[in-house]
Amino acid sequence: MRACQPIQDGYVERDGVKIYYEVFGDGEPTVLLLPTWSIIHSRQWKMQIPYLARHCRVMTFDGRGNGLSDRPMEPEGYAEREFAADAIAVMDATETERAIIVGFSLGGQRGLLLAANHPDRIEAAVFIGANYQGGGEALPERTVYAWENELETEEGWAKYNRWYWLRDYRGFLEFFFSKMFTEPHSTKPIEDCIGWGLDTSAETLALTYLAPHLEPDEVRELARGVRCPVLVIHGEADAIVSASRGIALAEHTGGQLVLLEGSSHAPHVRDPVKINLLLRDFVKPAVAPQRWVRGRSRRKRALYISSPIGLGHAQRDVGIADELRKLHPDLEIDWLAQHPVTAVLQARDEHIHPASRFLANESSHIESESAEHDLHCFQAIRRMDEILLSNFMVFHDAVREEAYDVWIGDEAWELDYYLHENPEQKRAAYVWLTDFVGWLPMPDGGESEAFLTADYNAEMTEHIARFPRVRDQAIFVGNDSDIVPDAFGRELPLIRDWTREHYSFAGYVTGFDPSDFADRTRLRHELGYRDDEQVCIVTVGGSGVGGHLLRRIIEAFPEAKRRVPALRMVVVTGPRIDPQMFGEHEGLEVRGFIPQLYRHLAVCDLAVVQGGLTTCMELAAAQRPFLYFPLRHHFEQNFHVRHRLNRYGAGRMMDFALATPDTIAEAIAEEIAREVDYRPVERDGAARAAALIAQLL
């Protein structure tokens, strides 16, 4: 899923060539993100669009030769002046009088043509990793083979490349993008770019090589003719275009120069926070606050970011918040949260930060990645990079405008990752909470997934080693024996050993005290359950991933009812699944959202659940029998959760792929009202976590 959807899209046609464009946001000014070489299309700007669109109007278009735009069949169709003319045509079609242009790499050539030849239409220009031919030096490796006579001309290079690309186009893409992203742990942007490169063809790229090019003198003359404000950004580790090109471009345009040490050719992809802030400050600087409060006069304030992937985090987080308020009664807590977490918070009259409305919904993305009781959790989160970056920028704006004493992130992956990537952005105490550590590969993922998960783990451990000051407190929601015995990857440390060194342990946080439910009979009556019925609660958490499991359990109900005549089944769909999707049966009721569901779980005779940690541990704490169905390919449920439940001796694991309605009915009959003796779950986990956080206040 995309983090930001266009408010307008369409095609503009010039000389029989259709160009696809999109418009986002509706503020001022307008920012036009230009196309680069036809090897990739406008999705290259996915990390900039959501942030900029909250502050101004943003336009993109697919350059001819890729994406949804046409692919001319003659080299002349790919001349630089054609791309510049396309930009003007898009501006005309969208009734855009003036715009600030941003060009990346070859897009810099188009930007120069626009800024120099259309000063009435261009307010300012930004060049990122610009392939500026009017000055600077080429990288030595780009000219190492030029001694071959055949390759001394552009036509010779085009012939050679066309032969190579036609023979092994994907191999060329892998090579080229490995040069574009020389930063360690760049597997995701390389993978993205290869995918975008496959949206065009070797034949098309060969035509772009043969297209009429601007001569160096002509490019230099264009640069010196630019009169609008200019910002030039270039990575010093650029392995595609020498940083000397960017330095020369800034000199010839009289522009501001920002060199990024350690960054390669595409910092807008690999270092998006820094680029977004540079663009924002150049395009539309933030207004200085009109009021300042002395530190001594400031109220104690916390910003709490609770992961929206399921409702479990919300339950434990409000429990921790309650304990924090006991220690600091004057503490104000703002919640940066999204659905379904907001359903829990609103029921408690918690204060939800107004910026929450700008958050891209992570639960919707997870649901879009799921199949029939199948969620490749690692890959789904990996493909959520655009959404995570967008949500970090929402957080960044919120804390830039308001002061907080502490930021608390419960599996707020975007917050933890981008703070470590940009440690200078940390301006308050920061607490990280999680109930698992370590990405683990699924067996059928093979060597590729084993490599990727290890690479993600290595980046995380490197973050902590290099910037231990970013996390003021890292809290593991559980005990050290709850940590899986696996290693982070080949030649990486054991997860348990590393976690013991870098985390504090709060014990499990249920968000309630199981002793409150000692009088189970009284609570059953209070909740409307009779003594002569056996209650089975079915719940799949707060996301919409569990629909298939609910259907199968409902299919099993008639047979289960035959085996257990006193059976009363209550199916809780959660806030993201429509209860009306399911049929009706006598003794079966389907409900949407139930506040304080843990009270119902505490008195049930059996629960049937998906396999998320929170619900399973609530049942373990309440000493209730339950069946759980881990999602296929969900590494956390299959490894981390299952390991912990085995340690507690809790629950009966079921395989959805093998579980027919009859086998589910049989399991319900065998497990309902069974006496259990699980390992006791802590009652003070929330208080222990709050005490660790309170030290920072």
Side-chain angles (χ1 to χ4, degrees):
M1 288 186 64
R2 300 172 71 170
C4 182
Q5 298 297 328
I7 62 171
Q8 178 187 352
D9 62 357
Y11 288 88
V12 61
E13 186 171 338
R14 290 185 51 254
D15 298 330
V17 178
K18 291 194 300 182
I19 302 299
Y20 176 75
Y21 66 85
E22 294 181 328
V23 182
F24 307 83
D26 57 3
E28 291 292 340
T30 293
V31 176
L32 175 56
L33 303 172
L34 297 171
T36 184
W37 185 25
S38 299
I39 197 170
I40 55 177
H41 47 69
S42 59
R43 285 289 284 153
Q44 62 154 320
W45 298 112
K46 69 176 186 176
M47 297 300 212
Q48 283 66 56
I49 291 170
Y51 178 63
L52 294 176
R54 286 196 291 109
H55 299 288
C56 52
R57 181 170 176 256
V58 180
M59 299 194 307
T60 65
F61 67 94
D62 289 340
R64 45 181 64 205
N66 205 328
L68 298 179
S69 291
D70 283 349
R71 288 131 174 82
M73 302 303 293
E74 300 296 331
E76 290 74 19
Y78 297 96
E80 293 300 303
R81 296 185 186 279
E82 296 294 339
F83 286 91
D86 290 341
I88 295 297
V90 168
M91 291 177 66
D92 290 342
T94 56
E95 299 181 344
T96 304
E97 290 297 323
R98 291 172 62 79
I100 298 171
I101 55 174
V102 183
F104 161 61
S105 192
L106 196 56
Q109 303 268 27
R110 294 103 198 230
L112 284 176
L113 285 165
L114 291 166
N117 296 336
H118 301 275
D120 58 323
R121 307 293 299 271
I122 306 304
E123 290 186 43
V126 181
F127 300 93
I128 302 173
N131 187 12
Y132 178 61
Q133 300 295 314
E137 301 294 332
L139 291 168
E141 55 267 34
R142 298 299 297 272
T143 59
V144 69
Y145 297 113
W147 54 269
E148 294 189 39
N149 292 334
E150 184 183 0
L151 302 183
E152 288 182 354
T153 65
E154 289 291 338
E155 184 176 358
W157 274 108
K159 288 180 180 178
Y160 176 80
N161 282 331
R162 185 176 185 277
W163 173 82
Y164 170 36
W165 297 340
L166 288 173
R167 183 174 60 89
D168 185 12
Y169 182 51
R170 186 184 182 94
F172 166 71
L173 295 177
E174 292 172 352
F175 161 76
F176 181 80
F177 292 121
S178 71
K179 292 295 184 181
M180 181 179 288
F181 300 103
T182 58
E183 300 90 342
H185 313 299
S186 294
T187 59
K188 183 57 168 61
I190 291 174
E191 181 180 296
D192 281 346
C193 286
I194 290 172
W196 301 334
L198 291 171
D199 284 343
T200 189
S201 65
E203 291 85 352
T204 299
L205 287 192
L207 291 174
T208 69
Y209 248 65
L210 291 170
H213 291 275
L214 301 176
E215 296 297 327
D217 290 344
E218 188 178 7
V219 175
R220 192 177 308 112
E221 183 179 350
L222 287 170
R224 287 175 171 160
V226 173
R227 295 292 177 263
C228 65
V230 169
L231 171 64
V232 177
I233 304 170
H234 214 111
E236 289 189 327
D238 193 330
I240 301 291
V241 177
S242 167
S244 67
R245 300 285 201 196
I247 294 170
L249 177 58
E251 178 184 341
H252 294 168
T253 58
Q256 175 189 352
L257 174 67
V258 177
L259 293 175
L260 306 178
E261 183 176 349
S263 293
S264 189
H265 187 53
H268 64 301
V269 177
R270 194 60 180 83
D271 298 304
V273 172
K274 182 61 178 177
I275 298 303
N276 287 354
L277 296 178
L278 286 171
L279 291 176
R280 165 80 188 276
D281 290 343
F282 182 75
V283 168
K284 190 175 183 178
V287 178
Q290 300 298 306
R291 172 176 290 190
W292 177 79
V293 181
R294 293 189 71 241
R296 187 179 180 87
S297 302
R298 294 176 188 174
R299 301 162 294 173
K300 289 181 181 177
R301 304 183 70 206
L303 183 65
Y304 214 129
I305 301 93
S306 181
S307 172
I309 304 176
L311 284 173
H313 302 93
Q315 181 62 43
R316 74 179 178 215
D317 290 336
V318 296
I320 293 171
D322 287 343
E323 295 295 334
L324 262 178
R325 290 180 176 118
K326 292 178 184 177
L327 299 174
H328 291 280
D330 57 340
L331 176 65
E332 296 181 0
I333 300 178
D334 288 346
W335 297 82
L336 191 62
Q338 54 187 276
H339 195 266
V341 172
T342 48
V344 175
L345 300 178
Q346 288 165 347
R348 289 171 43 95
D349 291 325
E350 295 281 352
H351 183 259
I352 300 173
H353 195 290
S356 298
R357 69 186 187 277
F358 298 124
L359 294 171
N361 194 276
E362 297 173 25
S363 293
S364 295
H365 168 81
I366 293 297
E367 290 160 12
S368 74
E369 291 272 345
S370 66
E372 185 178 8
H373 203 71
D374 190 353
L375 173 65
H376 208 308
C377 184
F378 168 68
Q379 296 292 356
I381 292 177
R382 189 167 177 262
R383 285 190 285 265
M384 199 162 64
D385 55 343
E386 173 184 356
I387 290 174
L388 293 177
L389 185 277
S390 177
N391 290 347
F392 176 81
M393 299 308 301
V394 172
F395 160 83
H396 180 275
D397 279 0
V399 299
R400 180 162 67 174
E401 296 167 4
E402 301 180 69
Y404 292 93
D405 296 276
V406 62
W407 306 331
I408 307 169
D410 185 351
E411 293 188 12
W413 303 106
E414 70 279 18
L415 181 56
D416 198 66
Y417 179 80
Y418 286 110
L419 281 179
H420 281 94
E421 287 283 284
N422 304 269
E424 70 279 2
Q425 299 301 328
K426 180 178 183 287
R427 294 188 295 277
Y430 166 53
V431 177
W432 163 254
L433 296 102
T434 186
D435 54 36
F436 80 92
V437 177
W439 307 99
L440 295 175
M442 297 304 297
D444 60 1
E447 284 297 316
S448 174
E449 186 162 315
F451 168 78
L452 288 175
T453 52
D455 186 67
Y456 270 56
N457 289 332
E459 184 174 31
M460 181 271 296
T461 57
E462 290 167 14
H463 276 159
I464 305 306
R466 177 61 186 89
F467 296 109
R469 62 180 173 81
V470 170
R471 292 179 180 175
D472 294 281
Q473 186 63 261
I475 300 174
F476 185 81
V477 182
N479 303 291
D480 62 355
S481 54
D482 294 324
I483 305 167
V484 294
D486 306 77
F488 282 118
R490 199 171 298 160
E491 300 182 4
L492 292 174
L494 291 173
I495 296 173
R496 185 175 294 172
D497 292 347
W498 186 90
T499 305
R500 284 170 175 161
E501 182 179 352
H502 294 94
Y503 278 79
S504 300
F505 294 88
Y508 192 72
V509 178
T510 59
F512 62 88
D513 186 346
S515 64
D516 293 342
F517 311 133
D519 189 348
R520 187 169 286 119
T521 300
R522 181 190 61 79
L523 183 56
R524 278 176 68 100
H525 293 165
E526 180 183 329
L527 295 175
Y529 300 123
R530 302 192 312 270
D531 292 334
D532 62 347
E533 58 188 9
Q534 291 184 287
V535 178
C536 175
I537 303 291
V538 181
T539 179
V540 292
S543 77
V545 176
H548 293 94
L549 177 59
L550 291 182
R551 287 190 185 89
R552 188 164 298 179
I553 294 170
I554 290 173
E555 288 175 11
F557 174 75
E559 175 61 19
K561 179 72 171 174
R562 188 188 68 79
R563 291 169 178 261
V564 185
L567 179 64
R568 176 182 176 184
M569 181 176 285
V570 180
V571 176
V572 185
T573 65
R576 297 185 64 82
I577 299 177
D578 184 1
Q580 303 301 319
M581 295 169 53
F582 307 100
E584 297 181 358
H585 300 274
E586 184 181 352
L588 170 72
E589 57 187 281
V590 182
R591 302 173 64 179
F593 174 64
I594 297 182
Q596 298 182 320
L597 178 61
Y598 60 87
R599 301 175 76 226
H600 296 256
L601 294 174
V603 300
C604 71
D605 297 292
L606 177 71
V608 184
V609 300
Q610 186 181 90
L613 179 64
T614 301
T615 305
C616 290
M617 288 301 293
E618 287 174 355
L619 290 161
Q623 295 286 311
R624 307 315 299 148
F626 64 96
L627 309 175
Y628 69 100
F629 293 75
L631 286 164
R632 186 167 179 262
H633 289 118
H634 194 307
F635 77 92
E636 184 187 359
Q637 291 185 5
N638 282 278
F639 300 134
H640 293 278
V641 176
R642 188 174 179 184
H643 167 80
R644 191 180 302 214
L645 293 179
N646 288 343
R647 192 179 79 81
Y648 279 87
R652 173 175 167 180
M653 198 275 288
M654 302 283 288
D655 186 339
F656 180 84
L658 302 177
T660 66
D662 283 347
T663 58
I664 293 174
E666 181 181 359
I668 289 174
E670 291 173 353
E671 295 294 319
I672 198 161
R674 183 171 68 84
E675 290 295 324
V676 299
D677 186 21
Y678 305 147
R679 181 191 296 268
V681 178
E682 296 88 352
R683 299 179 181 181
D684 61 347
R688 289 163 63 183
L692 292 167
I693 298 170
Q695 298 171 12
L696 303 176
L697 291 166

